[in-house]
Amino acid sequence: MPLALLALAVGAFGIGTTEFVMMGLLPDVADDLGISIPSAGHLVSAYALGVVVGAPLLAAATAKLPRRTVLIALMGLFVAGNALSALAPDHGWLLAARFLSGLPHGAFFGVGAVVAMTMATPERKARSVSLMFLGLTMANVVGVPAATLMGQHFGWRATFLAVSAIGLAAIASLVLLIPRDRGTAPQQGLRGELATLRSLPVWLALGTTVAGFGALFAAYSYITPMLTDSAGYADTSVTLLLALFGVGATAGNLLGGRLADHSLRATLFGGLASLTAILALFPLLMSTQITAALAVTLLGTAAFATGSPLQLMVMEKAAAAPSLASSANQAAFNLANAGGAWIGGLALAAGFGPTSPALAGALLAAAGIGVAAVAYAVDRGGRRTAGRERVVAGGAPQQTETLNGVH
């Protein structure tokens, strides 16, 4: 694999760290700024809102620029947002800085995934994308725990300064490692990029992302009360168990990338089916500490095994102009975060028990399988139509052809 993928992974590591570290720093931020924990929780929402708004807007605004230049500029915006977070004098300014930090998130992953795919041979596209996302999963294993400890010992502002330093390292890596020939401007301008969003297969792919990762966040958002109330773990053990989730996510990301290069569709269906089964078994698995630790690890593995296939499917459905669709998929991930947490919270509020969010997640994962099945049916219909058109034109249909490279 090209060494240039390391530059993308470094950027992904910084973005993943700043996205999730706020959850561990909420008490420190609330105490320092004199606000309540729920008010501090709005800082998480502000970042997610920045991702949802910034992903399509920045991808569209930079559609005609060289992708290498876009990646460097996005990481510069990321550094500025985190530096301003460290310097924010009050809650309002910190909210604005967190929103600013979230703006480049989706576009960076979206454009970065396109660059990663173009640097790989056709049979290694999914693995190339998964290696970029490796930075995101490793952030949950190393970056977030380390940044949380730093914040607890040196203050939360030091954490955001450290994340800014990671962003500067990512910029240096992008400048040094991304070849200029990979930074040529896309052939499609803004109009071509926007045209991709009129495609039904693209929307079905985005819908699969929302349902599939909504299933993950329905359960993961409430994993702490499951571990403490159902499995009997002490609060002090939760951090280690969340690291196990990161280990599982890293393994699933690498496995999903490798399998998707052989069969993208089978990998996607297999990952969603595994996620459905694991979430459905959560009430049983959370009955003992050993099986609960296994459940957390498997949850990360099954969910992130679908990450690269989903990203690749969206890009190949919009093969003529993939940057906007790829970035929109990152917005879909964050909509899944917010929607999944809301649905899981409804299950808890209804009094169905501490493991009920996982069961709600299982239903969402099953819905993801349904959306993916509809997408597959649309693909088959498109292939049959294309085959008939070739026959009418005097050509012979090619039985081994795949629509946009998706098997």
Side-chain angles (χ1 to χ4, degrees):
M1 283 291 180
L3 185 62
L5 290 176
L6 176 63
L8 298 174
V10 173
F13 180 83
I15 289 175
T17 299
T18 202
E19 179 181 17
F20 294 107
V21 74
M22 181 56 74
M23 300 169 188
L25 296 177
L26 285 183
D28 303 274
V29 174
D31 289 343
D32 185 56
L33 298 180
I35 58 177
S36 66
I37 292 291
S39 294
H42 295 159
L43 297 168
V44 178
S45 302
Y47 183 91
L49 180 61
V51 178
V52 173
V53 171
L57 288 183
L58 290 179
T62 59
K64 290 188 176 181
L65 297 177
R67 291 184 178 123
R68 179 177 182 270
T69 302
V70 171
L71 290 171
I72 294 170
L74 290 171
M75 192 50 58
L77 183 60
F78 170 83
V79 170
N82 282 280
L84 289 173
S85 295
L87 300 173
D90 55 38
H91 182 222
W93 280 102
L94 185 54
L95 274 174
R98 287 294 289 171
F99 176 81
L100 180 64
S101 299
L103 286 176
H105 176 130
F108 182 88
F109 277 110
V111 176
V114 175
V115 172
M117 191 173 71
T118 61
M119 288 190 294
T121 56
E123 68 275 9
R124 296 174 73 91
K125 286 182 179 180
R127 268 175 283 185
S128 182
V129 173
S130 73
L131 286 177
M132 182 191 71
F133 281 105
L134 182 63
L136 179 64
T137 57
M138 287 302 297
N140 285 282
V141 180
V142 179
V144 173
T148 301
L149 287 174
M150 176 180 287
Q152 292 169 349
H153 286 85
F154 302 106
W156 62 270
R157 297 178 189 275
T159 294
F160 289 111
L161 288 176
V163 173
S164 297
I166 296 173
L168 290 174
I171 291 175
S173 300
L174 291 167
V175 171
L176 293 173
L177 298 178
I178 299 293
R180 288 189 179 275
D181 61 344
R182 301 298 182 185
T184 54
Q187 295 299 311
Q188 295 283 349
L190 175 58
R191 181 172 301 189
E193 294 279 349
L194 290 174
T196 64
L197 296 184
R198 294 199 295 266
S199 167
L200 177 59
V202 170
W203 281 104
L204 288 172
L206 293 174
T208 306
T209 296
V210 172
F213 270 77
L216 166 65
F217 286 109
Y220 189 64
S221 300
Y222 305 96
I223 196 68
T224 297
M226 290 189 210
L227 292 170
T228 55
D229 297 345
S230 295
Y233 277 104
D235 291 341
T236 54
S237 302
V238 171
T239 301
L240 177 60
L241 291 164
L242 295 184
L244 286 179
F245 173 85
V247 171
T250 301
N253 175 57
L254 294 174
L255 178 64
R258 180 171 291 273
L259 293 177
D261 279 327
H262 295 286
S263 177
L264 189 152
R265 190 79 64 178
T267 303
L268 179 59
F269 278 113
L272 289 172
S274 299
L275 183 60
T276 303
I278 291 166
L279 288 171
L281 290 172
F282 248 57
L284 177 62
L285 294 173
M286 284 291 161
S287 60
T288 71
Q289 292 188 349
I290 293 177
T291 55
L294 177 64
V296 171
T297 307
L298 292 177
L299 177 63
T301 303
F304 279 84
T306 66
S308 296
L310 284 169
Q311 189 73 27
L312 189 61
M313 184 168 68
V314 169
M315 288 190 292
E316 295 199 339
K317 293 303 179 188
S323 294
L324 179 58
S326 179
S327 299
N329 196 46
Q330 294 302 310
F333 279 121
N334 279 267
L335 286 175
N337 188 338
W342 177 68
I343 291 173
L346 289 179
L348 273 180
F352 293 131
T355 59
S356 60
L359 297 178
L363 294 176
L364 282 173
I369 294 175
V371 177
V374 173
Y376 179 61
V378 170
D379 281 356
R380 286 177 61 87
R383 286 198 295 271
R384 284 195 296 267
T385 300
R388 286 195 296 269
E389 289 175 349
R390 284 194 299 273
V391 171
V392 170
Q398 300 176 14
Q399 298 298 326
T400 59
E401 184 179 49
T402 58
L403 184 64
N404 289 331
V406 179
H407 298 273

